[in-house]
Amino acid sequence: MSETPQHDTPRNDAPSASVDKILAAELERLSLKEREKVYEDVHGVSNVIQETPEMIATCLEQMDQEIDLIKKKHAYEQAKLRSHYLVTNRQFLLSFLRSTSFNPKMAASYLVQYFSNKLEIFGTEKLGKSRISLEDIGVTATRILELGSMQVLPTRDSQGRPVVVSTPSFMEPAMAAFDDPIPSMTRAFWYLVSTLSEDEETQKKGVVVVVNSTGLSERHMRFHRAVPLKHLQVAEYFPIRLACLHYCHNSSSSFPSIVLSDLASAAKSMVRVRIRTHKGSHTECLYKLMSFGIPVQEFPFTEDGGIELANHVRWLEKHRKKEAYLIKKPPIEGAVDLPSNHDVLLGRGKQIIRHLGNRLLHELVEAYDNQYNRLSKDGKTKLADQIVSIVHGYSGRFMKFDNECGMWVEVSNLEARDKVTHRFRRNRAVGSQPIVATKSSEADGG
């Protein structure tokens, strides 16, 4: 990693064009196949690698051989002594293979660097922990996380990837409250990314990051340059792939370009080529992001430019419940933090109504509505079962939020069928109206 430059005032010789040149030059170095993969990732049209047991076994064996070839791996060896189970856990190692598109040599290198970063950030005591908790990151880091300057959106993008929205200007309270907030900010960032890296779908598809750089204070320039670089150091070696980083700004100042230039210069090649810049008003940036399949309607911004914390507070509460549950009980098989786009969610509220999987179910019910109304009671039950099978056929699940474990869990086929028949009854009651977030439709969760 290159060191953060130490000048405190922005220079006028760092225009956005220089960053574009860096990115363009990097793309030119890639093969045609690599460029196509980057383009597909950035625009949300890439295909997930089809995994087979044989491929996974071969890559894990090759990764183990590559680890043996790495001479300097002190933190890795320390972690192995503290938790042999974690370091040799098949699912944990597989997450690194997925993050590197099944490149065993690269996965081995990332794994070793991951433990080096973990040792630097958390010390030896936490090196062997499989899950870093809110208690582990400390009170200050938790308070920084609560500010909401980094948030995971409650829905995935059009490709099924989680979206993290970062607004550095909302870190300002932390700078005023703490003498040296950067270490705590790094631990907070580690925690957020680690929650995403546990999800299998996210491991396969990657994550999208949106940086909203409006409102950055030039008087804190050194701080605002150091934090992204530290976060980059963590994220690059985490077992989760960055599909795209969108950097949005509306400033005519050279300051945002300097921060972006720092990132572009310090990032590894396969991260650099996934950076996209968007300059314009708030609305203009939103429209640009929409073209990449990003659910901007879920962005945590108020009309007056402030931050909305409701979803973030729920996200934190869910993870507190999850951590408390896992202390007492083993994880529930198939439980997830963030449902997939194909999943049908049971419950109430606008977010459930807007969820893509619920809208897909609504369309299925619409298509079979006339047939359903002509059937006998037994026939209706069989048709509802058939629709449940159709949802399962496109990898959808029927899920409900479990308050005890703080996660979404799959319901039984009987509960799934009840959801379908309820949707048919609801259709008949409202005359098959389009699915909108009205008070009546909120009551039954769409």
Side-chain angles (χ1 to χ4, degrees), residues 395-439:
S395 301
R397 299 162 294 185
F398 288 79
M399 309 195 83
K400 67 179 179 182
F401 186 73
D402 187 307
N403 258 310
E404 184 184 8
C405 73
M407 301 182 75
W408 291 89
V409 298
E410 189 167 7
V411 303
S412 66
N413 284 343
L414 179 59
E415 288 179 276
R417 187 178 72 197
D418 286 345
K419 171 68 176 178
V420 173
T421 56
H422 182 266
R423 184 63 253 176
F424 273 117
R425 290 195 300 271
R426 182 67 193 162
N427 249 27
R428 191 163 60 248
V430 300
S432 300
Q433 291 178 1
I435 187 162
V436 292
T438 62
K439 288 185 178 179

Side-chain angles (χ1 to χ4, degrees), residues 153-158 294-301 308 310-311 314 339-363 408 419 423 434-438 441-446:
L153 295 189
T155 57
R156 298 173 184 263
D157 75 351
S158 61
I294 295 173
V296 299
Q297 72 276 7
E298 302 291 353
F299 275 20
F301 306 127
E308 173 58 60
N311 284 327
R314 284 193 289 269
S340 82
N341 286 345
H342 290 153
D343 293 335
V344 176
L345 307 184
L346 281 64
R348 301 181 178 188
K350 291 181 180 179
Q351 285 186 355
I352 286 180
I353 294 170
R354 290 199 301 253
H355 184 72
L356 180 58
N358 288 54
R359 299 205 309 268
L360 291 173
L361 174 64
H362 181 81
E363 290 175 4
W408 291 89
K419 171 68 176 178
R423 184 63 253 176
I435 187 162
V436 292
T438 62
S441 62
E442 282 182 42
D444 70 357

Side-chain angles (χ1 to χ4, degrees), residues 24-79:
E26 203 66 57
L27 279 169
E28 284 297 318
R29 296 191 186 100
L30 301 180
S31 66
L32 179 59
K33 185 176 181 180
E34 288 171 331
R35 283 201 297 272
E36 287 178 351
K37 174 61 177 170
V38 170
Y39 181 85
E40 290 171 353
D41 273 351
V42 168
H43 289 273
V45 294
S46 58
N47 294 317
V48 174
I49 293 175
Q50 297 303 307
E51 301 175 6
T52 65
E54 295 77 17
M55 180 191 75
I56 290 173
T58 298
C59 288
L60 284 171
E61 183 179 349
Q62 292 174 350
M63 182 181 173
D64 192 49
Q65 294 168 358
E66 292 293 343
I67 292 171
D68 289 340
L69 295 175
I70 299 174
K71 292 185 170 62
K72 295 182 179 181
K73 49 188 175 188
H74 169 72
Y76 169 85
E77 297 290 359
Q78 286 290 310

Side-chain angles (χ1 to χ4, degrees), residues 255-397:
F255 178 42
S257 294
I258 292 173
V259 177
L260 181 58
S261 182
D262 288 344
L263 282 172
S265 299
K268 297 194 307 294
S269 172
M270 293 311 289
V271 171
R272 251 196 314 267
V273 294
R274 285 171 166 79
I275 297 175
R276 294 295 180 271
T277 62
H278 311 290
K279 182 178 179 180
S281 68
H282 177 70
T283 301
E284 288 171 333
C285 286
L286 290 183
Y287 275 111
K288 291 174 183 176
L289 293 170
M290 285 174 62
S291 69
F292 291 88
I294 295 173
V296 299
Q297 72 276 7
E298 302 291 353
F299 275 20
F301 306 127
T302 60
E303 291 182 2
D304 61 357
I307 191 166
E308 173 58 60
L309 292 174
N311 284 327
H312 187 58
V313 168
R314 284 193 289 269
W315 180 86
L316 278 168
E317 184 58 29
K318 286 193 294 184
H319 283 284
R320 287 191 174 98
K321 289 180 178 179
K322 178 181 176 181
E323 289 173 14
Y325 179 88
L326 292 176
I327 291 173
K328 301 177 292 185
K329 299 179 182 180
I332 299 174
E333 185 177 356
V336 297
D337 292 324
L338 193 62
S340 82
N341 286 345
H342 290 153
D343 293 335
V344 176
L345 307 184
L346 281 64
R348 301 181 178 188
K350 291 181 180 179
Q351 285 186 355
I352 286 180
I353 294 170
R354 290 199 301 253
H355 184 72
L356 180 58
N358 288 54
R359 299 205 309 268
L360 291 173
L361 174 64
H362 181 81
E363 290 175 4
L364 272 173
V365 168
E366 286 278 331
Y368 285 93
D369 192 55
N370 289 333
Q371 178 184 344
Y372 183 85
N373 290 329
R374 294 195 301 267
L375 293 172
S376 65
K377 184 177 179 180
D378 286 344
K380 288 177 178 178
T381 299
K382 289 179 182 179
L383 179 57
D385 283 332
Q386 181 183 340
I387 290 178
V388 170
S389 296
I390 291 172
V391 173
H392 288 160
Y394 56 69
S395 301
R397 299 162 294 185

